[in-house]
Amino acid sequence: MIRFRCLKWRTERNRDTAVRYLDLLALALERRGWRCVKSYRSQVVPARTPLLLVSGAGVAVSLCVLAAPGGGWAFHEAPRGRGGFLCFCGGDIKQAAQVIDRFLQDRPLRQ
């Protein structure tokens, strides 16, 4: 429980880090043909947790960045929280975009 609270505190305290990772991911996903809405910009919708809304090909998902154990950061499917882990942020953003692109392509189409 203490570990979870520490990660939650680190996520809330370092909002700018989460925003930076989401900006990089949005650019990489847009190059792959996905539409991205940065809901963490105050011009769109002020949100406590920075969210990136990704859509295209009948699929839509909201992504967030959360602090990970060991001092790292990770992309997650926002509605599922920590249970929606997709990949770590550190390192190559192209690889993270590739993982998330495959995740989006494998999702069932919205009706």
Side-chain angles (χ1 to χ4, degrees), residues 3 7 10 67-73 82 88:
R3 184 178 188 184
L7 291 174
R10 197 161 58 94
W73 295 85
R82 294 206 177 276
F88 287 103

Side-chain angles (χ1 to χ4, degrees), residues 57-61 77 80 102-110:
V59 176
V61 69
E77 189 179 7
R80 296 184 58 209
R102 273 187 279 155
F103 165 76
L104 292 167
Q105 289 176 2
D106 291 342
R107 288 187 59 97
L109 298 177
R110 286 188 314 187

Side-chain angles (χ1 to χ4, degrees), residues 58-70:
V59 176
V61 69
S62 57
L63 304 174
C64 66
V65 172
L66 301 174

Side-chain angles (χ1 to χ4, degrees), residues 1 4 10 21 24 30 35 37 40 46-47 54 58 64 66-67 70 74 79 83 90 94 99-100 105 107 109-110:
M1 189 59 138
F4 172 75
R10 197 161 58 94
Y21 281 125
L24 292 172
E30 286 172 346
R35 290 183 301 273
V37 176
Y40 46 88
V54 181
C64 66
L66 301 174
K94 290 179 185 177
V99 169
I100 293 172
Q105 289 176 2
R107 288 187 59 97
L109 298 177
R110 286 188 314 187

Side-chain angles (χ1 to χ4, degrees), residues 7-53:
L7 291 174
K8 185 177 177 184
W9 175 81
R10 197 161 58 94
T11 298
E12 292 172 358
R13 183 103 166 127
N14 296 300
R15 179 182 166 85
D16 56 333
T17 301
V19 167
R20 186 176 71 242
Y21 281 125
L22 289 173
D23 280 340
L24 292 172
L25 181 65
L27 287 173
L29 289 176
E30 286 172 346
R31 286 187 202 123
R32 292 178 169 269
W34 297 98
R35 290 183 301 273
C36 299
V37 176
K38 301 172 183 177
S39 67
Y40 46 88
R41 300 291 183 208
S42 59
Q43 302 92 324
V44 179
V45 176
R48 181 175 180 191
T49 302
L51 298 175
L52 178 66
L53 307 173

